[in-house]
Structure formats: structure tokens, C-alpha cells
Amino acid sequence: MLSTMARSLLLAALLPVAFADDGCLHNNAMGDGVDHFTHKVEPIHSKNWDIAYFDTYKIITNKHLEQSYLLYLCGSEIPAGVNTDDYAATIEIPLKQVGLTQTPMVTYMEQLGARDKIAAFLTDEQYVWSPCFADRIEEGDVALLADRETDQTPVTFTGANAPDIANFVAFASQFDDPPFQDVVKVSESSEKSNAAIFEWVKFYSAFFNLEEVANDVVEAADFRFECIKEKTGLFATDSPTKPKVLWAYYSHYCGGWDVGECPNYYCEFAEACSVDILSSSEGSNAAAEALCFAKYMTTEEFVEFGKDADYWFYPNTNWNLTLTDFGDELASFKSVQDKAVFDYQGMGPNAWYERRLAQFYDAVDDMCIIVGTRPAGMLERLHFWRSVLDEDIPLSGSEATCTPEAAANILSDVDNDCALIKEEKTSSANGSSKFALNAAVSIILAQLFFVF
């Protein structure tokens, strides 16, 4: 007869047959106590979400907003002892289609290979970076909110093939209140590190039972980031002094200079690149603070603060206007004189708040190469940073082409040498594990045939 271990392995191997193509549980004869979620996620870097798994349901929590969601597998029933009133929403999974309220959410869906499940989009499509998602909008496959002045029902949607959204689930930011049946609030912006921000892809994955993919892309991004830090550290040890970096921009709306303050994700870039970032929480611009509820520097304060920086990373799209308004004052800046000013439009004006969330390792890699603390690799790579004085802004969104590279998630990235190192290290291990799995299944089947 089969041993207990063999029976367990066989059960695990055959478990997927309980699911139909729709991902639902059908004719479940496995009995109680069977874990139907083979792949699981857990937060490693993120502080503001958590998840608990049970046999046929999950409880996922946005800790930042103290809201929990009950996710139960389609084809199953909610256990009698679970009180649905304890949750912000009770949702059947896997989701077939969703609505989004912010452009950063597009990247999380694309990294899961779930772009086709985005069926409604509640912000202005001109801010979309992804040319592949922009194509779906152009083709009428995504419902768009016709009147963005209100998020309350009733509303009208455009889109030739736009589906009925009455029973939709929408992912929304803290301040959005979209007109969907169930709304799931996400708070990736509450995190302080790049890895923690991107790790919210695991949060999204739980709604589609795509945890395996989420674990893979997070592991890949983490490895590449650490690989770049290691390469930078080895190269930067020969430098007698660290370059000084300025992270700041002028807000025309608020009327003041917004200067980087650590800790924050860009401070992590500076640390990885072995540079000193100029950080400040000071600023006496009272008018700007009254309007925008944050500290802003006056022009005089900013000149004194930033004029000696070796490099200036300008996190906005309004450099030309700023240079027009403050050309005389900025002429004294070392970074301006050396043409060492860069904004984040190297992949277009909207990639920074979309694709960069997943490819943060590329953003830091570019910065390290720019400041000279890491030698450029042998590969042609994507560049988030653009020299504001002599480089044009590339096309994006509906103006760009949906290439295979743009359509794929970061697991297909071959434009970063650290990505290739990861591929080399894992290929032999994957081959060994696949051989071991095939061998185990063969042994079990042999035992089965022997028994019968």
C-alpha cells in the first residue's frame, strides 16, 4: 500500500483537478481541512498590509486604514462561524474584472499578467504610461468615467465594449470613493522603501489567486536591487569623497521649493549609490505652507541650500518653466553649470509613478551610473532619468507602441545585467527541482500501479 507520505504527495499533485478553468472549486470531494491555496504571500518589507489563509478563504488587511476584506473561493461557501459584518467587503475570488482609480495600480496588474482584467478606469487616460493598457482603452475595452467631477452614482461610462460595472470590485486609494459595488482600499504610498511599495503587488495578487507570480516578481526585483547595491559598493570604495545629490523641485501651485526629506524611497536610492543626499525639513515659505500644508523653502533659502550639489535630480515635469522663472538664481548652481540636472521623464512623463514602482532597481541603477559610483553595464537598458538640458522626452501611453518588452512583466527583463545574473543562478536550481518533482511523481505512480 501507499505510505502516508506518498499519499500526501499524490494528493498535492492531484489537487488542481478540483478547480475548473474559471478558478472555482467544483465537485470538491477532498473534504474538510484541505488547503486550496497552494501558493501564499506574506509581507516581508511592507508594514501596512497583512494576510491570513484558511482552507477556502483568505482575510487580507490594509493595516494603514484598518480595513479587512474577506475573500472566499468561488464554488465554496462562507463558513458559518465567519461574520461578514466584520469586514469592509466580502468578495468572491478569483476576480474576473476590476476597476482602477489610479495609474500606479496599472503596474501592479501588469506585473501579475492581469492587464486584461482591468475593465474600468476612473482617472484621466492621458496620464497612463503603459502603451499596452492605452491600446485597450483606445479599442474601447475599458470603461472610462465620463464625468470625473463626481465619484458618486449615478455615473456614465464610455467605451465601445465597456462591460456593465454594477457588480465590479474596484481598487481605490484612501481618498477615492468610486461607484462600484465593493471597493478595496490600497495604501502602497504609505510605505517608505521601494521594496515595501512594490510588495503591494502581493496584496493585489490575493484577489486573483496569483500569489505565485507575485512572489516571483518581488523576489526578482529584490535580487536585482541588492545586486546593484553590491556592485556599487565595490566600485564606490575607491572614491575619496561622496558626491552630493540634490532632490528638489519648484511647485508652481504651492509657490515654493519642495526639498527631499529622509527617510523616503529616494533616500534609499542615494544610499544604494553611495552618495550624500541633501535632506531638509526646514523652510520658511509661509504662503506655500498655508496653501499646501507642508514646509517649503523660499528661493533665497533654496539657493543657499542646494547650489553646491554635484548632481540635481528634479522629481517633476516642469523644469523648463522653472528655469524660465528662476534662471538667474539657478545659474549659480554647480549642477546647472555642469549640466548635471536630471528629471524622471527618461521613459516619458508618466512612467515614474507607474512602471518605476516595479523597476525601481533600474531607477537606482541609472542614478548610480549618472553619479559615477557604478560602471555602466554592457547592456542597453531603460533609463528613467533624462538630462533636462540636452535630451528629449520619449513618447508614452497612446502615442507609444505596445512592444513585447512593454507588455511583459519584469521577469522578462534582459536589459539589466543583474537580471541576467539572477537568471543564471536560478536556471540550474529550477532544472534540479523539476527533475526531483518528476522523479517523485514517477515513484508515486509506480506505487499506485503496484497496488492495483
Side-chain angles (χ1 to χ4, degrees), residues 55-340:
D55 293 346
T56 58
Y57 67 97
K58 318 169 189 178
I59 298 173
I60 193 163
T61 301
N62 181 329
K63 295 167 64 176
H64 182 66
L65 300 179
E66 297 182 345
Q67 291 185 355
S68 294
Y69 305 91
L70 175 63
L71 315 181
Y72 69 97
L73 187 63
C74 57
S76 69
E77 296 182 358
I78 301 172
V82 176
N83 185 0
T84 58
D85 292 338
D86 294 338
Y87 304 97
T90 299
I91 300 170
E92 185 180 79
I93 58 170
L95 294 180
K96 304 300 187 295
Q97 53 188 15
V98 295
L100 305 181
T101 63
Q102 303 287 335
T103 54
M105 300 171 180
V106 176
T107 281
Y108 292 110
M109 295 293 291
E110 290 188 325
Q111 292 305 309
L112 294 172
R115 184 189 304 111
D116 61 334
K117 299 185 186 301
I118 308 172
F121 190 61
L122 274 71
T123 194
D124 197 328
E125 65 270 26
Q126 70 172 313
Y127 298 115
V128 170
W129 171 81
S130 169
C132 303
F133 181 55
D135 280 357
R136 294 197 67 235
I137 294 176
E138 289 270 326
E139 293 164 1
D141 293 332
V142 179
L144 301 175
L145 187 62
D147 182 7
R148 194 63 176 91
E149 295 302 315
T150 177
D151 284 335
Q152 305 301 320
T153 54
V155 294
T156 56
F157 287 82
T158 63
N161 305 313
D164 178 14
I165 67 159
N167 298 319
F168 264 33
V169 172
F171 292 112
S173 68
Q174 176 177 349
F175 303 105
D176 283 327
D177 186 21
F180 292 86
Q181 175 176 316
D182 292 310
V183 175
V184 176
K185 296 297 182 74
V186 294
S187 301
E188 81 285 344
S189 60
S190 66
E191 307 286 354
K192 294 299 183 183
S193 74
N194 292 279
I197 291 169
F198 181 49
E199 197 176 29
W200 276 76
V201 71
K202 295 180 179 178
F203 183 94
Y204 285 85
S205 75
F207 293 81
F208 303 95
N209 292 339
L210 292 174
E211 284 94 335
E212 182 179 16
V213 180
N215 284 326
D216 287 345
V217 294
V218 168
E219 180 185 357
D222 286 352
F223 178 88
R224 295 167 194 180
F225 184 70
E226 293 302 320
C227 170
I228 291 163
K229 284 177 62 177
E230 181 180 352
K231 288 176 174 287
T232 299
L234 293 174
F235 187 72
T237 53
D238 296 331
S239 302
T241 59
K242 289 185 176 182
K244 291 183 179 179
V245 166
L246 174 64
W247 185 284
Y249 74 97
Y250 184 78
S251 171
H252 286 86
Y253 176 79
C254 300
W257 292 93
D258 190 347
V259 176
E261 180 182 357
C262 296
N264 217 314
Y265 73 91
Y266 44 81
C267 307
E268 196 174 39
F269 288 174
E271 180 184 1
C273 293
S274 296
V275 299
D276 288 331
I277 188 170
L278 301 180
S279 170
S280 176
S281 59
E282 303 299 321
S284 63
N285 192 328
E289 182 175 358
L291 180 60
C292 295
F293 307 102
K295 292 286 186 181
Y296 289 83
M297 287 187 179
T298 64
T299 299
E300 292 76 13
E301 291 171 332
F302 180 66
V303 170
E304 185 63 27
F305 175 77
K307 64 181 181 180
D308 295 326
D310 299 298
Y311 299 90
W312 184 356
F313 290 90
Y314 191 90
N316 208 301
T317 60
N318 64 345
W319 169 258
N320 289 342
L321 180 59
T322 300
L323 186 62
T324 299
D325 292 344
F326 302 101
D328 292 340
E329 293 85 349
L330 300 182
S332 64
F333 278 55
K334 181 180 185 299
S335 57
V336 175
Q337 295 170 3
D338 294 345
K339 295 186 176 181

Side-chain angles (χ1 to χ4, degrees), residues 319 341-346 384-388 391-394:
W319 169 258
V341 183
F342 304 85
D343 71 12
Y344 57 45
Q345 298 187 89
F384 283 95
W385 297 108
R386 175 191 75 106
S387 172
V388 299
E391 291 183 6
D392 295 328
I393 302 172

